[in-house]
Amino acid sequence: MTDQLPFVSVIVPVLNDEARIGTCIEALLAQSYPRDRYEIFVVDNGSSDRSYAIAQRYPIAVLRESATRSSFAARNLALPQARGSIHAFTDSDCTPSPHWIAEGVKTIRETGADMVGGNVRFVYSKRPSAADVYDSIANMQIERNVRERGVCKTANLFATAKVYATIGPFPHSLPSGGDVIWTARATEAGFRIVYNHAADVAHPTQRLPAL
């Protein structure tokens, strides 16, 4: 039965995140979705720490995009190599829940949608500050963005390969916001996006310097 499931390509950019990239990869390798039905790309975006070396320890594809410092350039490097009929995006500082891939795929199959935005569950630091609280309220509000604007962040996004084939790559050199532009182009072209709360990733809140 598993050979009837769509093949999924998971793409994760990383930049100087040696503390968390291993946790992200291990969560992806521990998915309930059959391991032979998905591949994982980690794309290092010119890290000066051990992120690239850590990623190489795992049975995944590890690429390097050093020419352009942008997470969207990193994703664009992997997309032409992705074999999946579904592309799944998350970030190195996210920890996908065990059923993340399964929920994203199920939603596409059951609803006929072209894209799925999943829940970003914020994890507070041990001593939350006002910045932590603000970040959790103002940032990554995927359900509202999907419902009201038809857009989504690549911290938690599934898209059929047809979307990339039609829309093309992400805006290559933007430091941020390229995912919103890309998903807006897709919905304007007639592709449908839906939300699934159960397709969940954990994401740490940001402290004041990062904000």
Side-chain angles (χ1 to χ4, degrees), residues 49-201:
D49 66 1
R50 296 185 304 120
S51 295
Y52 182 78
I54 291 171
Q56 286 189 306
R57 298 173 185 171
Y58 297 93
I60 61 173
V62 185
L63 309 176
R64 266 183 167 157
E65 168 54 72
S66 301
T68 303
R69 182 63 64 86
S70 164
S71 65
F72 304 111
R75 296 181 184 98
N76 288 340
L77 182 66
L79 277 166
Q81 304 180 48
R83 295 180 292 132
S85 61
I86 295 175
H87 301 147
F89 302 96
T90 191
D91 293 330
S92 62
D93 59 356
C94 292
T95 305
S97 65
H99 304 296
W100 178 65
I101 295 177
E103 287 291 337
V105 170
K106 181 180 75 171
T107 305
I108 287 175
R109 298 183 82 187
E110 291 183 352
T111 67
D114 306 287
M115 297 179 290
V116 176
N119 180 50
V120 175
R121 174 171 46 87
F122 284 94
V123 179
Y124 289 90
S125 54
K126 292 182 179 179
R127 299 181 64 183
S129 67
D132 292 85
V133 176
Y134 174 81
D135 187 37
S136 68
I137 294 172
N139 195 18
M140 301 287 187
Q141 300 303 309
I142 306 296
E143 182 176 17
R144 187 174 67 219
N145 286 337
V146 167
R147 182 181 66 249
E148 297 179 0
R149 302 170 58 200
V151 301
C152 187
K153 296 279 192 176
T154 39
N156 194 346
L157 173 66
F158 294 81
T160 63
K162 185 179 179 181
V163 176
Y164 168 64
T166 304
I167 301 302
F170 290 94
H172 195 71
S173 58
L174 290 181
S176 64
D179 41 14
V180 172
I181 293 171
W182 191 81
T183 50
R185 286 176 181 167
T187 53
E188 289 167 3
F191 292 107
R192 187 162 70 96
I193 187 169
V194 298
Y195 174 78
N196 180 4
H197 189 81
D200 177 87
V201 303

